[in-house]
Amino acid sequence: GAGSGRSCGVISRTMKNVISRDAMNQLRNFLSKAGRVVDIAKTNTVLVSDDEANIPRLREILELMDEPARSSSRMGCYRR
């Protein structure tokens, strides 16, 4: 909050492989008490504000969430 001495950072990411609302809901689990996340549905973008120290981690989490889905073909059936 104001006067806490902490720096605030802001990032945004336009999601390509997931719905921004879903990413927003998952990202809430990783925010500090000061953190806020907003879904901009029109552009499928997630906007995040949090303590500056948490921003790199949140950016990495968003990138991981937005990776293309892995092919399920690798999950073959195995015979005994």
Side-chain angles (χ1 to χ4, degrees):
S4 67
R6 291 185 176 169
S7 296
C8 180
V10 178
I11 56 172
S12 68
R13 181 174 178 100
T14 300
M15 308 304 282
K16 296 179 179 127
N17 299 296
V18 296
I19 298 169
S20 57
R21 181 182 63 239
D22 294 342
M24 175 190 72
N25 289 332
Q26 292 298 319
L27 198 64
R28 283 185 174 141
N29 297 313
F30 301 97
L31 296 173
S32 71
K33 289 182 180 182
R36 299 287 181 266
V37 59
V38 176
D39 165 34
I40 305 170
K42 186 174 183 177
T43 58
N44 204 44
T45 299
V46 178
L47 181 66
V48 185
S49 171
D50 204 350
D51 288 335
E52 188 69 44
N54 199 26
I55 290 294
R57 182 174 77 129
L58 295 172
R59 181 180 289 115
E60 183 177 353
I61 292 166
L62 278 172
E63 289 171 2
L64 289 171
M65 278 192 234
D66 201 29
E67 285 184 356
R70 302 276 188 240
S71 172
S72 60
S73 63
R74 291 184 180 180
M75 297 180 63
C77 294
Y78 297 95
R79 297 180 189 210
R80 293 185 197 174

